[in-house]
Amino acid sequence: MNEKQHEYEDLPGTWVFDAQRARKGYPLNNFFMSLMKEENRKAFLADETSYLSQFKMSDAQRDAVLKRQWNTMLELGGVVYCLAKLAFTDQHSYQYMAAEMTGMSEQEYVDMMLAGGRSPDGWRSKSETKESAQGDEV
Amino acid sequence: MAKITAGVGCSHTPAIGAAVDLGKTETDYWRPMFEGFEASKKWIKEAAPDVVIMVYNDHNNAFDFKMIPTFAVGCADEFPIADEGWGARPVPIVKGYRELAAHIVQSVILDEFDLTIVNEMEVDHGLTTPMSLMFGEPEAWPVRVIPIAVNVVQYPPPTGNRCYNLGKALKKAVESWDEDLNVMIFGTGGMSHQIQGPRAGLINKEFDKNFLDDLSRDPERLKDIAHLEYMREAGAEAVELVMWLVMRAALGEKVDEVYRFYHVPASSTGVGHIILNADNNE
């Protein structure tokens, strides 16, 4: 059976964490959750590949973690709040991670926010978004 | 009898907590935001609530993916501070009110709201940053807290209408508690923000202003805002605003706006804040 199409899938540059995405992301998110313990953060940073082998995630999910491809992690079922635990483990802020997702430098992102943020104009549906902006550059 | 005397709407972000904990509240970036809460801190000190019902969302800290309750009430005596990935915030432990929480659970379940009962729970920045903004940095928090965690992480969160009706049931529950208590209710999260994907950084000041206006002017409009509209107009994470509707409805039909403040940005977030007095003479 095909998965139902939802209206929110038309939001550009956004992956809504719904039940289907949650199902796919379960092992990936369990990995992120493990980073709430200091000893696990250390073990992960010491040997990322071996640490990740404990989790039954797909190769694509594992690859996205190793390459810190934040948008791919979202697309493959990661929750942004859980991704943040990986950013924090890397000693980065939420803001750094958000900037990476937009393809801006952190300073450009901060400047955009200080200037009032991103306007919803042009970002309400995929059809009106000029840039494709739909994933990580590989 | 216990009464809900006032409601507070307040955004939360990890960055606000970090700014407090690292002593950055006086920097050029943060000063304008923290100054906006100075009046609120004075107000709440004078208003001296005994208990705060904190409607907030957990960000995958207390709840992992084994269980995702839509509404969960913290019924413990105390709630330790979660390590969200960079160590626990150095803020006082949050003290609960087990007896009143148990009463609320019993009352609202019989009112057809099937809340999940949680007897052990850590709390994250969703709960602690509004505490820091309203109460500053005390040795111990000056209130007892009943946390009500709302799922806004996995789509769909409860509807605005459901949240609004839960607020009404909470009012009834509190007012049937036979102890003179000054109870306040906080609705946290929001306002416009998106923190994921290429669309991150989205802010809609007009949406936020209309929302703040209608909390007193036309709350019935707000309860009918669909999830898609929050996400499309104000960012994927703006859907957290449904939690403000629990707060609003718990205040009764009419409210007096005491104070409001709005500031962009705190990291990726449009920070909205409002204080509403309940009209208990209605």
Side-chain angles (χ1 to χ4, degrees), chain B residues 230-251:
Chain B
Y230 283 113
M231 295 193 290
R232 192 181 55 222
E233 295 302 319
E237 281 70 49
V239 74
E240 290 176 355
L241 282 168
V242 295
M243 295 186 287
W244 290 44
L245 300 177
V246 182
M247 174 275 285
R248 172 59 191 86
L251 303 177

mmCIF file of all heavy atoms in Angstrom, chain B residues 230-251:
data_model
loop_
_atom_site.group_PDB
_atom_site.id
_atom_site.type_symbol
_atom_site.label_atom_id
_atom_site.label_comp_id
_atom_site.label_asym_id
_atom_site.label_seq_id
_atom_site.Cartn_x
_atom_site.Cartn_y
_atom_site.Cartn_z
ATOM 1 N N TYR B 230 -0.364 26.912 11.298
ATOM 2 C CA TYR B 230 0.785 27.281 12.135
ATOM 3 C C TYR B 230 2.087 27.021 11.383
ATOM 4 O O TYR B 230 2.985 27.850 11.343
ATOM 5 C CB TYR B 230 0.831 26.437 13.421
ATOM 6 C CG TYR B 230 -0.144 26.816 14.506
ATOM 7 C CD1 TYR B 230 -1.178 25.955 14.857
ATOM 8 C CD2 TYR B 230 -0.006 27.996 15.217
ATOM 9 C CE1 TYR B 230 -2.068 26.268 15.882
ATOM 10 C CE2 TYR B 230 -0.879 28.323 16.247
ATOM 11 C CZ TYR B 230 -1.911 27.463 16.577
ATOM 12 O OH TYR B 230 -2.775 27.773 17.592
ATOM 13 N N MET B 231 2.196 25.821 10.806
ATOM 14 C CA MET B 231 3.458 25.409 10.185
ATOM 15 C C MET B 231 3.763 26.250 8.952
ATOM 16 O O MET B 231 4.893 26.657 8.737
ATOM 17 C CB MET B 231 3.416 23.921 9.835
ATOM 18 C CG MET B 231 3.318 23.030 11.070
ATOM 19 S SD MET B 231 3.647 21.276 10.746
ATOM 20 C CE MET B 231 2.234 20.805 9.814
ATOM 21 N N ARG B 232 2.729 26.494 8.155
ATOM 22 C CA ARG B 232 2.933 27.222 6.905
ATOM 23 C C ARG B 232 3.213 28.703 7.165
ATOM 24 O O ARG B 232 4.108 29.297 6.577
ATOM 25 C CB ARG B 232 1.700 27.073 6.016
ATOM 26 C CG ARG B 232 1.895 27.549 4.582
ATOM 27 C CD ARG B 232 0.618 27.399 3.771
ATOM 28 N NE ARG B 232 -0.478 28.089 4.448
ATOM 29 C CZ ARG B 232 -1.721 27.607 4.571
ATOM 30 N NH1 ARG B 232 -2.038 26.433 4.059
ATOM 31 N NH2 ARG B 232 -2.647 28.279 5.221
ATOM 32 N N GLU B 233 2.450 29.296 8.078
ATOM 33 C CA GLU B 233 2.559 30.743 8.286
ATOM 34 C C GLU B 233 3.664 31.133 9.258
ATOM 35 O O GLU B 233 4.205 32.227 9.160
ATOM 36 C CB GLU B 233 1.218 31.300 8.806
ATOM 37 C CG GLU B 233 0.078 31.174 7.810
ATOM 38 C CD GLU B 233 0.368 31.875 6.492
ATOM 39 O OE1 GLU B 233 0.923 32.995 6.513
ATOM 40 O OE2 GLU B 233 0.041 31.298 5.435
ATOM 41 N N ALA B 234 3.942 30.276 10.215
ATOM 42 C CA ALA B 234 4.826 30.718 11.303
ATOM 43 C C ALA B 234 5.951 29.726 11.615
ATOM 44 O O ALA B 234 6.653 29.885 12.601
ATOM 45 C CB ALA B 234 4.003 30.997 12.557
ATOM 46 N N GLY B 235 6.142 28.724 10.748
ATOM 47 C CA GLY B 235 7.251 27.789 10.937
ATOM 48 C C GLY B 235 6.809 26.473 11.551
ATOM 49 O O GLY B 235 5.838 26.420 12.314
ATOM 50 N N ALA B 236 7.537 25.419 11.198
ATOM 51 C CA ALA B 236 7.132 24.066 11.591
ATOM 52 C C ALA B 236 6.970 23.930 13.104
ATOM 53 O O ALA B 236 6.109 23.201 13.586
ATOM 54 C CB ALA B 236 8.155 23.047 11.082
ATOM 55 N N GLU B 237 7.800 24.644 13.867
ATOM 56 C CA GLU B 237 7.745 24.476 15.323
ATOM 57 C C GLU B 237 6.784 25.457 16.004
ATOM 58 O O GLU B 237 6.585 25.404 17.215
ATOM 59 C CB GLU B 237 9.154 24.571 15.914
ATOM 60 C CG GLU B 237 9.976 23.295 15.770
ATOM 61 C CD GLU B 237 10.402 22.989 14.327
ATOM 62 O OE1 GLU B 237 10.929 23.886 13.626
ATOM 63 O OE2 GLU B 237 10.196 21.848 13.884
ATOM 64 N N ALA B 238 6.176 26.351 15.208
ATOM 65 C CA ALA B 238 5.200 27.293 15.778
ATOM 66 C C ALA B 238 3.954 26.583 16.287
ATOM 67 O O ALA B 238 3.186 27.138 17.076
ATOM 68 C CB ALA B 238 4.804 28.338 14.739
ATOM 69 N N VAL B 239 3.791 25.337 15.862
ATOM 70 C CA VAL B 239 2.639 24.554 16.294
ATOM 71 C C VAL B 239 2.636 24.382 17.824
ATOM 72 O O VAL B 239 1.619 24.087 18.432
ATOM 73 C CB VAL B 239 2.618 23.212 15.518
ATOM 74 C CG1 VAL B 239 3.685 22.271 16.019
ATOM 75 C CG2 VAL B 239 1.260 22.572 15.506
ATOM 76 N N GLU B 240 3.786 24.648 18.439
ATOM 77 C CA GLU B 240 3.852 24.654 19.914
ATOM 78 C C GLU B 240 2.852 25.619 20.538
ATOM 79 O O GLU B 240 2.515 25.493 21.719
ATOM 80 C CB GLU B 240 5.266 25.056 20.387
ATOM 81 C CG GLU B 240 6.324 24.020 20.112
ATOM 82 C CD GLU B 240 7.725 24.496 20.502
ATOM 83 O OE1 GLU B 240 7.906 25.666 20.900
ATOM 84 O OE2 GLU B 240 8.651 23.693 20.400
ATOM 85 N N LEU B 241 2.396 26.581 19.768
ATOM 86 C CA LEU B 241 1.463 27.571 20.323
ATOM 87 C C LEU B 241 0.158 26.950 20.815
ATOM 88 O O LEU B 241 -0.572 27.586 21.585
ATOM 89 C CB LEU B 241 1.174 28.675 19.288
ATOM 90 C CG LEU B 241 2.290 29.722 19.150
ATOM 91 C CD1 LEU B 241 2.055 30.595 17.921
ATOM 92 C CD2 LEU B 241 2.368 30.600 20.402
ATOM 93 N N VAL B 242 -0.145 25.732 20.411
ATOM 94 C CA VAL B 242 -1.358 25.092 20.964
ATOM 95 C C VAL B 242 -1.270 25.020 22.494
ATOM 96 O O VAL B 242 -2.300 25.025 23.174
ATOM 97 C CB VAL B 242 -1.644 23.676 20.389
ATOM 98 C CG1 VAL B 242 -1.972 23.749 18.899
ATOM 99 C CG2 VAL B 242 -0.517 22.692 20.672
ATOM 100 N N MET B 243 -0.035 24.996 23.019
ATOM 101 C CA MET B 243 0.106 24.901 24.482
ATOM 102 C C MET B 243 -0.344 26.186 25.185
ATOM 103 O O MET B 243 -0.751 26.160 26.341
ATOM 104 C CB MET B 243 1.548 24.559 24.838
ATOM 105 C CG MET B 243 1.947 23.173 24.337
ATOM 106 S SD MET B 243 3.577 22.658 24.877
ATOM 107 C CE MET B 243 4.629 23.690 23.883
ATOM 108 N N TRP B 244 -0.235 27.313 24.466
ATOM 109 C CA TRP B 244 -0.719 28.570 25.040
ATOM 110 C C TRP B 244 -2.238 28.533 25.191
ATOM 111 O O TRP B 244 -2.801 29.256 26.018
ATOM 112 C CB TRP B 244 -0.335 29.759 24.138
ATOM 113 C CG TRP B 244 1.116 30.105 24.091
ATOM 114 C CD1 TRP B 244 2.180 29.252 23.972
ATOM 115 C CD2 TRP B 244 1.677 31.431 24.144
ATOM 116 N NE1 TRP B 244 3.349 29.959 23.935
ATOM 117 C CE2 TRP B 244 3.076 31.290 24.032
ATOM 118 C CE3 TRP B 244 1.141 32.710 24.244
ATOM 119 C CZ2 TRP B 244 3.944 32.387 24.042
ATOM 120 C CZ3 TRP B 244 2.002 33.800 24.258
ATOM 121 C CH2 TRP B 244 3.383 33.640 24.160
ATOM 122 N N LEU B 245 -2.899 27.723 24.387
ATOM 123 C CA LEU B 245 -4.363 27.684 24.424
ATOM 124 C C LEU B 245 -4.868 26.942 25.661
ATOM 125 O O LEU B 245 -5.956 27.227 26.153
ATOM 126 C CB LEU B 245 -4.906 27.051 23.141
ATOM 127 C CG LEU B 245 -4.515 27.817 21.871
ATOM 128 C CD1 LEU B 245 -5.018 27.083 20.635
ATOM 129 C CD2 LEU B 245 -5.051 29.243 21.903
ATOM 130 N N VAL B 246 -4.072 25.995 26.172
ATOM 131 C CA VAL B 246 -4.419 25.356 27.449
ATOM 132 C C VAL B 246 -4.434 26.434 28.529
ATOM 133 O O VAL B 246 -5.375 26.562 29.319
ATOM 134 C CB VAL B 246 -3.408 24.249 27.819
ATOM 135 C CG1 VAL B 246 -3.815 23.578 29.131
ATOM 136 C CG2 VAL B 246 -3.259 23.219 26.705
ATOM 137 N N MET B 247 -3.358 27.228 28.533
ATOM 138 C CA MET B 247 -3.229 28.327 29.505
ATOM 139 C C MET B 247 -4.401 29.293 29.388
ATOM 140 O O MET B 247 -5.067 29.619 30.369
ATOM 141 C CB MET B 247 -1.890 29.030 29.254
ATOM 142 C CG MET B 247 -1.613 30.282 30.061
ATOM 143 S SD MET B 247 -2.302 31.807 29.370
ATOM 144 C CE MET B 247 -1.181 32.134 27.999
ATOM 145 N N ARG B 248 -4.673 29.723 28.156
ATOM 146 C CA ARG B 248 -5.702 30.751 27.967
ATOM 147 C C ARG B 248 -7.075 30.292 28.465
ATOM 148 O O ARG B 248 -7.778 31.037 29.158
ATOM 149 C CB ARG B 248 -5.778 31.138 26.470
ATOM 150 C CG ARG B 248 -6.925 32.054 26.122
ATOM 151 C CD ARG B 248 -6.863 33.369 26.905
ATOM 152 N NE ARG B 248 -8.097 34.151 26.764
ATOM 153 C CZ ARG B 248 -9.183 33.994 27.529
ATOM 154 N NH1 ARG B 248 -9.214 33.083 28.507
ATOM 155 N NH2 ARG B 248 -10.236 34.759 27.344
ATOM 156 N N ALA B 249 -7.449 29.059 28.117
ATOM 157 C CA ALA B 249 -8.791 28.600 28.465
ATOM 158 C C ALA B 249 -8.939 28.365 29.967
ATOM 159 O O ALA B 249 -10.039 28.434 30.509
ATOM 160 C CB ALA B 249 -9.128 27.325 27.697
ATOM 161 N N ALA B 250 -7.808 28.106 30.636
ATOM 162 C CA ALA B 250 -7.863 27.869 32.088
ATOM 163 C C ALA B 250 -8.147 29.148 32.865
ATOM 164 O O ALA B 250 -8.368 29.119 34.070
ATOM 165 C CB ALA B 250 -6.553 27.244 32.568
ATOM 166 N N LEU B 251 -8.139 30.294 32.174
ATOM 167 C CA LEU B 251 -8.344 31.582 32.853
ATOM 168 C C LEU B 251 -9.802 32.031 32.841
ATOM 169 O O LEU B 251 -10.141 33.063 33.414
ATOM 170 C CB LEU B 251 -7.479 32.668 32.192
ATOM 171 C CG LEU B 251 -5.973 32.379 32.143
ATOM 172 C CD1 LEU B 251 -5.239 33.492 31.397
ATOM 173 C CD2 LEU B 251 -5.408 32.222 33.545
#
